[in-house]
Amino acid sequence: MHTAGRQLEFHLNSSQPWIAKIPEDLWYPEHKETAAAMRAAGKWDAMYGDRRSQLVCIGVDMDKAAIIAALEDALMTEEEMKGGWPEWRKLDDPFFHTGYLEFVNRERPFHPTRLCGFLKTFGTREHDVPEEEKGIAAGVMSAKGEVWLACSDAGPFRVQTRGNELAAAPRQEPFLVKIHEKFWGAEQKAQHAALVKDGQWSAAHGDRHSALHCVGLHFDRAAVEAQLRECLLTDEEMKGGPEAWKKLDNPFVPKGGKAEKRPPPPTVHQDAVMGEPVVAA
């Protein structure tokens, strides 16, 4: 980060991530030497490793005490620290102008055609797409999650977008509710107990649900969330039940039988915005 007068420049140091973010078995000798030196100097934190902020300010007639106090006020509060990364990543990022949206629904499945059509409008902000076709999700540059499609009652589909590229494939493991209880092993029983305890198991749908995480630039989170809800089955469509739902076309799997093409590998910047690196299966 650099300021000159009232101008602010902010760049992600994509070539040198925090050493603490690199698994130790992948450390190079220089990583080991740096970490060892920082530990010896008491500069390596047990929880955050080498993560830190260091800012040097130069000016005229500065009230250094007031500036230090203001910077300390800009740090996360004790209460905010308790949320950890799951909550921190939801904060708006004024440096990259990013926003985060977590969409979770356990009440009804998505209509496959409506959802696929909407996801294909994601990330068109910087692409050669007619302005009228970009829509409210043009700034959503990355999204990933598992969705419950009405036409796929056995298990969820894993979906991921990078820019305006969409990839989708059915998860190999079915919903737990689709496995008869007499075939549950210890792992499935423990999973069921945890879901019930956390309020993530319903009498009507078991563990069926959709969870989609979206990150973008200059996008209206409320509008995107509202449109995602419009992609769910309507009350009238819900009345048809699974027998009617399975007759719906599934555009995520074209007639040739292959899922949507996989998007290109994510950039370092995208991973930094999304949080943990995405490893393609």
Side-chain angles (χ1 to χ4, degrees):
M1 181 176 72
H2 176 256
T3 68
R6 296 179 61 84
Q7 299 297 314
L8 169 65
E9 293 182 3
F10 190 90
H11 303 284
L12 178 71
N13 188 358
S14 58
S15 62
Q16 295 180 344
W18 301 119
I19 297 176
K21 286 292 292 180
I22 306 172
E24 287 196 37
D25 59 340
L26 298 180
W27 282 5
Y28 289 117
E30 55 265 33
H31 294 143
K32 296 177 181 179
E33 293 174 4
T34 301
M38 293 186 71
R39 288 190 175 103
K43 296 181 179 180
W44 185 278
D45 186 83
M47 179 175 295
Y48 301 113
D50 57 330
R51 296 179 180 88
R52 68 195 185 281
S53 296
Q54 183 174 343
L55 191 64
V56 177
C57 303
I58 300 175
V60 178
D61 297 325
M62 294 190 304
D63 186 337
K64 292 189 287 186
I67 292 174
I68 291 174
L71 288 171
E72 289 178 341
D73 285 341
L75 297 171
M76 303 284 278
T77 65
E78 292 293 334
E79 188 62 30
E80 290 168 335
M81 288 294 292
K82 295 177 182 177
W85 173 246
E87 293 300 319
W88 301 345
R89 66 180 181 179
K90 298 177 184 178
L91 298 171
D92 286 331
D93 184 348
F95 295 104
F96 288 120
H97 303 287
T98 61
Y100 173 82
L101 169 65
E102 179 181 25
F103 181 88
V104 179
N105 187 280
R106 303 179 187 280
E107 301 172 359
R108 58 187 66 201
F110 277 112
H111 189 289
T113 302
R114 289 200 294 269
L115 177 63
C116 187
F118 184 45
L119 291 180
K120 287 184 175 180
T121 69
F122 280 25
T124 56
R125 180 183 181 88
E126 304 298 334
H127 294 271
D128 187 18
V129 176
E131 198 64 33
E132 63 273 11
E133 295 181 17
K134 291 185 176 181
I136 59 173
V140 180
M141 64 182 186
S142 183
K144 63 179 179 177
E146 295 186 346
V147 295
W148 171 22
L149 300 179
C151 59
S152 179
D153 187 57
F157 261 66
R158 287 176 170 165
V159 298
Q160 180 174 347
T161 69
R162 291 289 183 184
N164 69 335
E165 297 285 348
L166 169 65
R171 192 182 72 183
Q172 293 183 350
E173 303 81 12
F175 289 118
L176 182 59
V177 71
K178 293 295 290 184
I179 305 174
H180 197 285
E181 287 187 37
K182 68 180 180 180
F183 296 116
W184 287 1
E187 183 179 347
Q188 285 78 22
K189 292 177 181 178
Q191 181 185 357
H192 174 258
L195 289 169
V196 172
K197 181 180 178 181
D198 294 339
Q200 297 178 3
W201 184 279
S202 72
H205 306 300
D207 59 327
R208 296 182 185 90
H209 73 286
S210 296
L212 193 62
H213 306 270
C214 308
V215 170
L217 301 169
H218 305 291
F219 76 102
D220 187 331
R221 288 183 293 183
V224 171
E225 181 177 4
Q227 189 59 45
L228 283 170
R229 294 192 181 282
E230 289 294 320
C231 294
L232 297 169
L233 291 189
T234 64
D235 290 341
E236 189 62 31
E237 290 167 336
M238 286 294 290
K239 295 177 183 178
E243 286 302 312
W245 305 343
K246 68 182 182 182
K247 298 177 184 178
L248 296 172
D249 289 334
N250 187 353
F252 291 99
V253 180
K255 293 181 180 180
K258 295 182 180 180
E260 290 281 350
K261 64 180 180 179
R262 185 177 297 278
T267 64
V268 174
H269 173 262
Q270 288 172 321
D271 276 345
V273 175
M274 285 299 289
E276 298 301 321
V278 178
V279 179

PDB file of all heavy atoms in Angstrom, residues 3 49 62 68 80 99 107 177 236:
ATOM      1  N   THR A   3       0.599   5.732  -0.252  1.00  0.00           N
ATOM      2  CA  THR A   3      -0.170   6.959  -0.411  1.00  0.00           C
ATOM      3  C   THR A   3       0.784   8.094  -0.748  1.00  0.00           C
ATOM      4  O   THR A   3       1.934   8.130  -0.282  1.00  0.00           O
ATOM      5  CB  THR A   3      -0.947   7.334   0.870  1.00  0.00           C
ATOM      6  OG1 THR A   3      -0.031   7.696   1.904  1.00  0.00           O
ATOM      7  CG2 THR A   3      -1.812   6.174   1.344  1.00  0.00           C
ATOM      8  N   GLY A  49       1.067 -16.850  12.599  1.00  0.00           N
ATOM      9  CA  GLY A  49       2.348 -16.976  11.922  1.00  0.00           C
ATOM     10  C   GLY A  49       2.988 -15.634  11.641  1.00  0.00           C
ATOM     11  O   GLY A  49       3.170 -14.818  12.544  1.00  0.00           O
ATOM     12  N   MET A  62       2.701  16.375  11.801  1.00  0.00           N
ATOM     13  CA  MET A  62       1.800  15.253  12.105  1.00  0.00           C
ATOM     14  C   MET A  62       1.603  15.123  13.606  1.00  0.00           C
ATOM     15  O   MET A  62       2.535  15.318  14.389  1.00  0.00           O
ATOM     16  CB  MET A  62       2.379  13.932  11.583  1.00  0.00           C
ATOM     17  CG  MET A  62       2.479  13.805  10.089  1.00  0.00           C
ATOM     18  SD  MET A  62       2.894  12.095   9.634  1.00  0.00           S
ATOM     19  CE  MET A  62       4.404  11.823  10.574  1.00  0.00           C
ATOM     20  N   ILE A  68      -1.532   7.181  15.327  1.00  0.00           N
ATOM     21  CA  ILE A  68      -1.399   5.818  15.865  1.00  0.00           C
ATOM     22  C   ILE A  68      -2.718   5.368  16.487  1.00  0.00           C
ATOM     23  O   ILE A  68      -3.161   4.225  16.295  1.00  0.00           O
ATOM     24  CB  ILE A  68      -0.263   5.757  16.904  1.00  0.00           C
ATOM     25  CG1 ILE A  68       1.094   5.943  16.198  1.00  0.00           C
ATOM     26  CG2 ILE A  68      -0.294   4.442  17.665  1.00  0.00           C
ATOM     27  CD1 ILE A  68       2.270   6.044  17.146  1.00  0.00           C
ATOM     28  N   GLU A  80     -15.086  -8.647  17.061  1.00  0.00           N
ATOM     29  CA  GLU A  80     -14.950  -8.994  15.644  1.00  0.00           C
ATOM     30  C   GLU A  80     -13.951 -10.131  15.442  1.00  0.00           C
ATOM     31  O   GLU A  80     -14.116 -10.971  14.550  1.00  0.00           O
ATOM     32  CB  GLU A  80     -14.520  -7.761  14.852  1.00  0.00           C
ATOM     33  CG  GLU A  80     -15.601  -6.690  14.741  1.00  0.00           C
ATOM     34  CD  GLU A  80     -15.076  -5.372  14.212  1.00  0.00           C
ATOM     35  OE1 GLU A  80     -13.863  -5.103  14.363  1.00  0.00           O
ATOM     36  OE2 GLU A  80     -15.873  -4.596  13.658  1.00  0.00           O
ATOM     37  N   GLY A  99     -17.247  -7.722  -2.772  1.00  0.00           N
ATOM     38  CA  GLY A  99     -18.343  -8.045  -1.871  1.00  0.00           C
ATOM     39  C   GLY A  99     -18.500  -9.553  -1.800  1.00  0.00           C
ATOM     40  O   GLY A  99     -18.079 -10.278  -2.710  1.00  0.00           O
ATOM     41  N   GLU A 107     -35.077 -25.221   2.135  1.00  0.00           N
ATOM     42  CA  GLU A 107     -36.524 -25.375   2.060  1.00  0.00           C
ATOM     43  C   GLU A 107     -37.022 -25.938   0.741  1.00  0.00           C
ATOM     44  O   GLU A 107     -38.058 -26.590   0.678  1.00  0.00           O
ATOM     45  CB  GLU A 107     -37.195 -24.024   2.326  1.00  0.00           C
ATOM     46  CG  GLU A 107     -36.849 -23.449   3.693  1.00  0.00           C
ATOM     47  CD  GLU A 107     -37.352 -22.036   3.853  1.00  0.00           C
ATOM     48  OE1 GLU A 107     -37.954 -21.500   2.893  1.00  0.00           O
ATOM     49  OE2 GLU A 107     -37.132 -21.451   4.929  1.00  0.00           O
ATOM     50  N   VAL A 177     -29.911 -38.488   3.393  1.00  0.00           N
ATOM     51  CA  VAL A 177     -31.300 -38.901   3.517  1.00  0.00           C
ATOM     52  C   VAL A 177     -31.684 -39.951   2.466  1.00  0.00           C
ATOM     53  O   VAL A 177     -32.666 -40.687   2.645  1.00  0.00           O
ATOM     54  CB  VAL A 177     -32.236 -37.668   3.410  1.00  0.00           C
ATOM     55  CG1 VAL A 177     -32.260 -37.126   1.990  1.00  0.00           C
ATOM     56  CG2 VAL A 177     -33.641 -37.994   3.900  1.00  0.00           C
ATOM     57  N   GLU A 236     -46.161 -23.402  -6.538  1.00  0.00           N
ATOM     58  CA  GLU A 236     -46.915 -24.250  -7.454  1.00  0.00           C
ATOM     59  C   GLU A 236     -46.058 -25.415  -7.943  1.00  0.00           C
ATOM     60  O   GLU A 236     -46.523 -26.555  -8.021  1.00  0.00           O
ATOM     61  CB  GLU A 236     -47.413 -23.420  -8.639  1.00  0.00           C
ATOM     62  CG  GLU A 236     -48.385 -24.146  -9.562  1.00  0.00           C
ATOM     63  CD  GLU A 236     -49.671 -24.549  -8.867  1.00  0.00           C
ATOM     64  OE1 GLU A 236     -50.096 -23.841  -7.931  1.00  0.00           O
ATOM     65  OE2 GLU A 236     -50.232 -25.599  -9.258  1.00  0.00           O
TER      66      GLU A 236
END
